[in-house]
Amino acid sequence: MKQRAIRVTVNGRTHERTVEVRRTLADFLRDDLDLTGTHLGCEHGVCGACTIVVNGEAVRSCLMFAAQVDGAELLTVEGLADGERLHPIQEAFWEHHGLQCGFCTPGFLMTLYCFLREQPDPTESEIREAISGNLCRCTGYQNIVTAARAAAGSLRAGAS
Amino acid sequence: MSMAPARKYVSARIKRVEDPPLLMGKARYLSDITLGGMLTVGFVRSPHAHARIVRIDARAALAMPGVEAVLTGEQVRAFTQPIRAEMSGASYRSTDWAALAWPKARFVGEPVAAVVASDRYRVEDALDAVVVEYEPLPPVVDAEAAMTADAPRLHEQHPDNIIIQARYDNGETDRAFADAAITLRTTFRHGRCTSAPMEGRGVVASWDAADGTLTVWASTQAPHFTRAGLAAALDLPESRIRVIAPAIGGGFGPKMHVYPEDVTVCALARRLGRPVKWLEDRRENLLTSAQAREFVAQAEVAADRDGTILAFRATFICDVGAYSVYPTTAALEPMTAAGIMPGPYRLRGYSYEAYGVATNKCPTGAYRGVGMAFATFVRERLVDMVAAACAVDPADVRRRSFFAQKDTPYTTASGIIVDSADPAGSLASVLDAAGYDGLRAEQRAAGNGRLRRGIGLCAYTEFTGMGSGTFRRRGMTQVSGYDAATVRVEPTGEVRAFLSAASQGQGHATTFAQVLADELGVPLAAVTIIEGDTERCPHGSGSFASRSMVVSGGALILAARKVRDKTLTIAAHMLEAAATDLVIDDGRIAVRGMASRAVTLADVARLAYRPASGTLPPGVDPALEATHHYDPPPATFSNGTHLAVVDVDIETGEVRIVRYVVGEDCGTMVNPMIVEGQLHGAVAQGIGNALYERIVHDDGGQPLTTSFMDYLLPTTMELPSVEVVHSETPPPGSVSGFKGMAEGGTIGAASAVANAVADALAPLGVEVRELPLAPDVLHRLIARAARDGTRA
Ligand code: FES
Ligand code: FES
C-alpha cells in the first residue's frame, strides 16, 4: 500500500507522520493522533458528525484523505475550549441543552464555529440552513438552533 | 421512616452535569476504546434474503496481510449457542439466531462469516476475498404473503411463519357494533422504519485467560440483559462476564437487544486470546440493527351519530423479520399495538387479532413508540374518519369519547389499567395554547390553492415504567422488569449512586443526581451517578420503554431513604437528640430550630466507617450504604395531545409543518429542560416516521435504503419548533410521582401529522391510510383521488 509522509498542525500542535494514501482524515485524527472527539456517523458525507476545520473551512473529515492535508492547519473539537474554559459556542450548547447523547455535537460545534465567523448576526432561518447538513437524532435541532443564536450573541458581545 | 427534605432540585431546570466532557470531545464512546494488541472484526454478510450456504472458501483472505482469522457459521456453532428469545404462551414459536448463519441465511445482511485483522482497512480488504457459495431459496418478503399455506418457511421446525398470534374480545364488541349508528372499516399500513442513532452498535471484548473472565464494552441500553444473553450464547456463567456501557451515542430501542455480532466478537476474543473490536458502520446499521413499525391492520370503528366512539375491531399483522429478538421477542410490537389501541377512549367494545409474522427481512424490535405509534395512527385516523362522517369537529369527537380523569384508575377495553390521566384536560390545554378556533378560521381563509392547510389532532396514552407484572402477563420471561440502585456515602462524605439504568443521552447523570440530592438533603455537586457496568452496579433491567425515571428512579429513592434513615439515626446519637427532631439540608443535619447543634454528612460518614473514632448507636451496623431492588406496579401511564398544522403542496406532495403544539403529562417533571428536549427529539422522530423515513425492499427482499442518502432523517429544514404545554397528573401511590415520557412525542407526532395531511387533502377526496406520507406517496394519492373523482 502506498505511503506518504505528511506534516499537519492540529489544534496548534504539529505532527509528522507517514500514512497510507487511502487513510481517511477522520481515521488519521482518531486512530493515529488519538483525537477521538471527531465522530463518524455515516462515513459517506451526509451526517456531518465528522466535521472539522481545515485552513479555516468546515470540511467532512470522512470524505478527505489524510494525505490531502499535508501542510494544513486543522482545528478539531478538542481545540475549541481554552483549557477547561469552554468556547462560547460550547457554553451556549450547555446552557440551552443543545445536546443529548453528544455524538453529533462536535460536528455541529465545528460547523457553527466557521459559520458564525462568516455571519456573526444570523437569523433563525440562516442558522437552520447553515446546519442543515448536520444530522442529530436526539434533539430535533430546536435547542441547537437556540444555542446557536445565543452563541452568536455572546461572540458578538465578546468581540465588541 | 424520616420525612423527606423539601425538594430543591427536582422540578428545576438544571444544566446537565455530563455535558462538559461531551462538548470538549473528551467523552469515550465505544469507538474510542482501544486496548493493547486489539484486533478488528468485520462481517461477510449475506447478499441474499434467503439462501443455503453451500461452502465458504477463506483461503485467499487468510493469506492477506494482517489477517489473523476467518470464522464461519459451521465453525462457530461448535462453541456458541444460538440466541433464543423465550416466551411463555402456547402460540409462541421461538427462533434460533446463530452467531453466524449456518446452514442458511434468512435476510440480506445476516452475518455469514467474520474476518479478524490488524485494523479496519485490512479487514475490509479481506472481506472481499472471502468466497461464499450460496444456493438462493425463494424469499418471503411480505407478512400477508408469509401467512399463506404455500409460503416458503423461514424456520423449518415450525409449521408456518406465524411466530406469535393472539385473540381478544372484551365480550361487548359485536353488540356495540350492532347498536352503532355508524361503522367504518378500512386497512392501514405503516412502512418499515429504523431508529438510526447517530452512533451505530459496537462491541469490544477482552478475554482474561488468568481467571477465565470476559470483559465486554458494548453500546447497549441494557447491560444486564446483554450479559445474560451473552452468557447463554457463550455457555459461560453470568458471573464470568462483565458488561460495560461507555458513553452511548443514542439508542431509541434497538440497543437493548443482543445480536449475533455481539456473540461472535466475544467468542473470537476468547478463542484468539486477544481483545477484538467491531463497530457497525452506517450501511450495516441500516441493514441489520433491529427495525420497526411494519404493520398492516384491518380496522373497524363503531360510533354514535354524534361521533361518540363506541368500539373498535382490529386485526394487526406485524412483519417481524427473520428472527425473534432477545429478550423481548417478536411479540413486542404486535402485542403492544393491540393492547394500547383503546388509548384514552371509553369504549364499550374492543376485539383484536394480532399476528407477528416472520419474513426474510431484518428482525424488528424495540423502537421508540413500539407498537404504540402504529396503534395510535390506526385509532386516531379512525376517530377523524368518524368525525368527518358525522360532520363533527375532531376535537369534539375526542372530548366526548375520552374516559374521565375522575374514573382513573381506568380499565380500558383491552384490560390495561391506566393508573392516572386527564385526556380532556390535556386536549383543552392544547386547543387553548394553539388557539384552535383561530387556526380553523385561518384554514378556511387559506382557500383552495396549490398549498392546502390542514390541522391534525392526536390523543394518546403511553405505557411507561413497566414492572415484572407487565412482562409476566406478556409472557416475556427473560425481561427482569425491576431495576436497582445502590447509594453509598463514602468515608469522606461524597455520595455516589450505582444504578442498573444505562443512559444513551437522556441525562441520567443529572436527573438522578437531582433526585438523590433531594432525598439525602445534600448539594447537587456532592452527588455522582454511576451506570452501565454489571460489576459496579446492581442487577436490573436497563433503560428502554420509558422506564428509567420510574423504575431506576424509584429504586434510587428507596435506597436513598434507607441511607437517610441510618444517617439520621447516627446523627441523633452524635447530637444526643431524637432522630425525629433532626432536619437535614445542604449536607448538614441539625436539631430543628437549633442550627448550631449540627453535624455534617461527612461527620456521620467518618463515624460510620471508623466506629472506633466514637461510638455508633447500639444495634447500628457500620458503613453508610444501601441497595434497593424495585419492582414497580405493572405500569404507569403518561398521556398527551398533539396538534399539527401543515401546508401540503398538492403539486409536489411536499408537507411543511407550520405549527406544532404538544400537551404532555408525565407526572412530576424531574428536569423540565430535559423533558422538553426529549419531547423535541421524539417529535422529530415521529415526523420523520410520518413523512420521510422508509426502509424499502425490492420484491426479492433486497434492501434499497442502505445509506443516509436513501433513508432520510429529518434535518433542520423539515422540522418545526415545538411548543410544549405541561401538565402534571400524579400517579396514585407512586414512590416518586414520576412517569416515563421518552416515547410520547414519537407516538403522537406521526398521527397528528397524518391527520393534518388528511385534513388538508380531504376536499380532494384523498384518504390517508398509510405512513410514511413521503412526497411520492402523497403525489400518488392525490393523482389517484383526482382520477377517481373524474370517473365518478
Ligand atoms: S461521518 Fe462524515 S459526514 Fe457522516
Ligand atoms: S445529541 Fe444525539 S445525535 Fe445529536
Side-chain angles (χ1 to χ4, degrees):
Chain A
M1 197 51 61
K2 233 178 122 195
Q3 312 257 326
R4 181 149 170 209
I6 58 168
R7 182 190 159 91
V8 287
T9 305
V10 186
N11 305 331
R13 238 183 93 190
T14 302
H15 304 264
E16 289 183 33
R17 296 291 162 103
T18 302
V19 293
E20 275 188 13
V21 291
R22 65 173 175 173
R23 191 157 192 73
T24 67
L25 177 53
D27 287 346
F28 171 73
L29 291 169
R30 292 179 43 80
D31 298 337
D32 297 352
L33 303 186
D34 199 29
L35 292 170
T36 56
T38 298
H39 296 155
L40 291 168
C42 71
E43 297 175 288
H44 51 251
V46 178
C47 77
C50 64
T51 305
I52 64 162
V53 181
V54 175
N55 294 334
E57 296 214 31
V59 304
R60 303 193 164 207
S61 60
C62 74
L63 293 185
M64 280 183 87
F65 295 111
Q68 289 174 279
V69 295
D70 185 24
E73 232 2 277
L74 276 54
L75 182 71
T76 69
V77 70
E78 288 92 344
L80 214 47
D82 178 5
E84 291 303 303
R85 226 183 67 227
L86 296 179
H87 184 276
I89 305 175
Q90 293 169 312
E91 201 52 78
F93 268 63
W94 192 13
E95 185 69 38
H96 296 280
H97 191 30
L99 65 157
Q100 291 182 29
C101 78
F103 199 79
C104 68
T105 310
F108 277 93
L109 296 173
M110 303 320 284
T111 304
L112 284 167
Y113 175 84
C114 290
F115 169 65
L116 293 177
R117 281 204 307 192
E118 269 163 45
Q119 175 49 282
D121 192 9
T123 62
E124 170 167 344
S125 68
E126 286 168 335
I127 292 171
R128 283 189 173 263
E129 175 120 32
I131 54 175
S132 62
N134 290 68
L135 296 176
C136 172
R137 194 56 157 164
C138 297
T139 63
Y141 308 105
Q142 192 163 333
N143 289 345
I144 294 179
V145 173
T146 308
R149 292 188 83 153
S154 52
L155 284 167
R156 282 197 310 276
S160 62
Chain B
M1 191 173 45
S2 57
M3 275 247 305
R7 278 178 164 174
K8 255 193 198 171
Y9 299 110
V10 167
S11 300
R13 291 174 182 267
I14 288 173
K15 285 203 301 189
R16 303 200 320 171
V17 303
E18 53 267 80
D19 283 357
L22 296 168
L23 286 163
M24 291 195 281
K26 289 181 183 170
R28 289 265 156 188
Y29 295 85
L30 195 100
S31 57
D32 308 335
I33 292 169
T34 305
L35 304 175
M38 191 167 81
L39 298 169
T40 299
V41 182
F43 291 92
V44 177
R45 296 179 179 279
S46 173
H48 300 286
H50 201 188
R52 195 161 300 287
I53 299 157
V54 180
R55 89 178 52 80
I56 299 179
D57 184 350
R59 281 170 303 179
L62 281 165
M64 293 176 75
V67 175
E68 297 279 338
V70 176
L71 191 65
T72 66
E74 199 177 8
Q75 293 165 335
V76 79
R77 67 207 291 262
F79 46 90
T80 60
Q81 300 295 327
I83 298 167
R84 188 181 294 173
E86 308 279 5
M87 186 173 180
S88 63
S91 83
Y92 176 68
R93 295 176 187 138
S94 66
T95 61
D96 282 349
W97 197 359
L100 294 167
W102 184 266
K104 66 176 193 171
R106 294 182 177 86
F107 67 98
V108 173
E110 181 166 6
V112 166
V115 170
V116 190
S118 52
D119 67 87
R120 179 147 167 240
Y121 290 76
R122 309 270 158 330
V123 167
E124 299 279 351
D125 291 342
L127 287 175
D128 290 338
V130 177
V131 182
V132 186
E133 191 185 320
Y134 296 95
E135 177 196 325
L137 300 169
V140 52
V141 295
D142 172 82
E144 287 166 289
M147 291 172 79
T148 58
D150 53 352
R153 261 184 300 150
L154 269 85
H155 300 277
E156 284 76 10
Q157 71 273 31
H158 298 317
D160 55 39
N161 293 315
I162 300 172
I163 300 275
I164 175 82
Q165 52 186 309
R167 267 187 188 75
Y168 169 88
D169 190 338
N170 79 338
E172 298 285 326
T173 316
D174 287 349
R175 241 172 309 163
F177 270 86
D179 294 349
I182 289 168
T183 65
L184 297 166
R185 181 192 166 88
T186 192
T187 300
F188 295 96
R189 289 174 192 276
H190 201 309
R192 254 183 191 242
C193 296
T194 185
S195 85
M198 293 318 298
E199 179 207 43
R201 295 182 286 135
V203 194
V204 171
S206 175
W207 176 256
D208 184 338
D211 61 1
T213 58
L214 182 72
T215 304
V216 184
W217 289 261
S219 184
T220 175
Q221 302 175 220
H224 281 99
F225 291 172
T226 299
R227 187 178 75 162
L230 289 174
L234 299 165
D235 279 327
L236 275 173
E238 287 196 42
S239 59
R240 295 281 185 84
I241 303 176
R242 175 181 189 179
V243 175
I244 300 170
I248 308 281
F252 316 114
K255 289 184 182 174
M256 75 172 292
H257 301 304
V258 179
Y259 294 83
E261 292 92 342
D262 306 340
V263 177
T264 301
V265 168
C266 291
L268 281 166
R270 189 177 177 186
R271 287 186 77 78
L272 299 173
R274 306 241 325 244
V276 290
K277 177 179 195 169
W278 169 68
L279 290 177
E280 179 184 71
D281 69 18
R282 187 53 61 187
R283 180 172 165 275
E284 293 178 299
N285 172 259
L286 294 170
L287 279 175
T288 66
S289 265
Q291 300 176 350
R293 305 268 198 277
E294 188 165 13
F295 269 103
V296 183
Q298 287 107 34
E300 246 178 305
V301 59
D304 276 343
R305 189 150 313 281
D306 71 349
T308 305
I309 308 291
L310 299 175
F312 295 120
R313 269 193 202 118
T315 299
F316 293 97
I317 299 172
C318 181
D319 180 335
V320 301
Y323 298 96
S324 180
V325 289
Y326 179 94
T328 44
T329 78
L332 181 66
E333 271 204 291
M335 297 311 297
T336 307
I340 205 77
M341 175 78 180
Y345 295 84
R346 173 199 307 280
L347 301 177
R348 248 178 82 192
Y350 175 49
S351 70
Y352 67 75
E353 288 179 31
Y355 300 90
V357 185
T359 62
N360 289 110
K361 289 189 276 193
C362 175
T364 64
Y367 169 42
R368 202 173 208 171
V370 61
M372 297 185 278
F374 180 66
T376 299
F377 169 63
V378 171
R379 180 187 67 240
E380 294 298 301
R381 283 274 50 237
L382 287 171
V383 169
D384 269 20
M385 287 163 61
V386 166
C390 302
V392 175
D393 190 280
D396 292 328
V397 169
R398 287 181 173 78
R399 197 178 292 122
R400 283 182 193 151
S401 307
F402 289 150
F403 60 74
Q405 183 183 13
K406 67 171 171 42
D407 294 334
T408 57
Y410 180 80
T411 305
T412 71
S414 63
I416 287 173
I417 299 168
V418 177
D419 56 326
S420 56
D422 180 13
S426 172
L427 175 67
S429 71
V430 165
L431 297 180
D432 190 44
Y436 186 65
D437 295 338
L439 291 176
R440 286 289 178 202
E442 277 172 33
Q443 181 187 25
R444 282 188 294 274
N448 288 331
R450 176 170 162 175
L451 287 187
R452 298 297 175 97
R453 176 64 53 99
I455 301 167
L457 285 170
C458 168
Y460 63 88
T461 49
E462 177 188 0
F463 229 132
T464 85
M466 287 173 255
S468 68
T470 290
F471 297 106
R472 182 179 305 108
R473 184 175 55 72
R474 291 176 168 183
M476 294 175 183
T477 53
Q478 288 165 324
V479 181
S480 304
Y482 63 84
D483 272 294
T486 296
V487 172
R488 180 188 307 151
V489 183
E490 301 289 349
T492 37
E494 327 82 78
V495 181
R496 294 201 294 168
F498 302 80
L499 288 94
S500 59
S503 184
Q504 313 111 51
Q506 298 95 325
H508 289 180
T510 306
T511 47
F512 285 136
Q514 291 176 258
V515 170
L516 180 54
D518 276 352
E519 282 298 325
L520 288 185
V522 297
L524 189 71
V527 171
T528 306
I529 301 297
I530 293 145
E531 296 184 335
D533 185 341
T534 56
E535 286 297 285
R536 292 209 288 169
C537 303
H539 190 273
S541 300
S543 293
F544 54 91
S546 303
R547 63 183 287 108
S548 300
M549 237 36 247
V550 180
V551 193
S552 288
L556 180 64
I557 288 173
L558 293 170
R561 286 182 186 165
K562 292 179 191 170
V563 170
R564 188 177 73 220
D565 286 347
K566 185 167 178 180
T567 301
L568 290 174
T569 304
I570 297 172
H573 184 71
M574 293 168 83
L575 292 166
E576 296 175 351
T580 46
D581 286 339
L582 300 182
V583 284
I584 180 164
D585 182 36
D586 209 26
R588 281 169 63 83
I589 304 113
V591 180
R592 195 183 314 275
M594 303 171 73
S596 60
R597 254 182 85 197
V599 290
T600 64
L601 183 61
D603 297 331
V604 173
R606 198 174 312 116
L607 180 57
Y609 287 94
R610 292 178 194 124
S613 66
T615 53
L616 283 174
V620 171
D621 294 325
L624 205 46
E625 96 167 53
T627 297
H628 198 99
H629 290 80
Y630 175 55
D631 192 0
T636 183
F637 281 81
S638 287
N639 75 290
T641 310
H642 288 211
L643 181 147
V645 182
V646 303
D647 280 339
V648 184
D649 182 328
I650 59 172
E651 305 279 310
T652 62
E654 197 190 329
V655 177
R656 201 169 66 83
I657 298 172
V658 180
R659 186 97 190 269
Y660 205 94
V661 185
V662 175
E664 167 74 19
D665 182 350
C666 60
T668 303
M669 286 185 286
V670 178
N671 186 329
M673 180 188 82
I674 288 179
V675 168
E676 285 162 17
Q678 284 275 317
L679 270 174
H680 300 161
V683 166
Q685 292 191 11
I687 291 172
N689 295 170
L691 296 177
Y692 310 105
E693 297 178 34
R694 189 169 36 166
I695 297 273
V696 180
H697 294 84
D698 72 8
D699 293 344
Q702 198 61 237
L704 306 176
T705 43
T706 57
S707 80
F708 277 156
M709 259 99 76
D710 314 296
Y711 190 84
L712 300 179
L713 299 186
T715 74
T716 48
M717 304 308 276
E718 289 81 43
L719 292 174
S721 281
V722 177
E723 301 160 50
V724 182
V725 190
H726 294 293
S727 47
E728 300 191 357
T729 308
S734 156
V735 166
S736 60
F738 312 144
K739 300 175 178 183
M741 56 73 51
E743 297 170 274
T746 304
I747 297 167
S751 302
V753 170
N755 277 343
V757 171
D759 185 48
L761 300 182
L764 301 179
V766 170
E767 286 191 41
V768 169
R769 289 176 298 211
E770 69 191 284
L771 290 177
L773 297 166
D776 62 304
V777 174
L778 278 180
H779 204 265
R780 162 168 58 77
L781 294 179
I782 293 166
R784 190 200 293 154
R787 252 193 341 265
D788 294 354
T790 338
R791 222 177 285 138

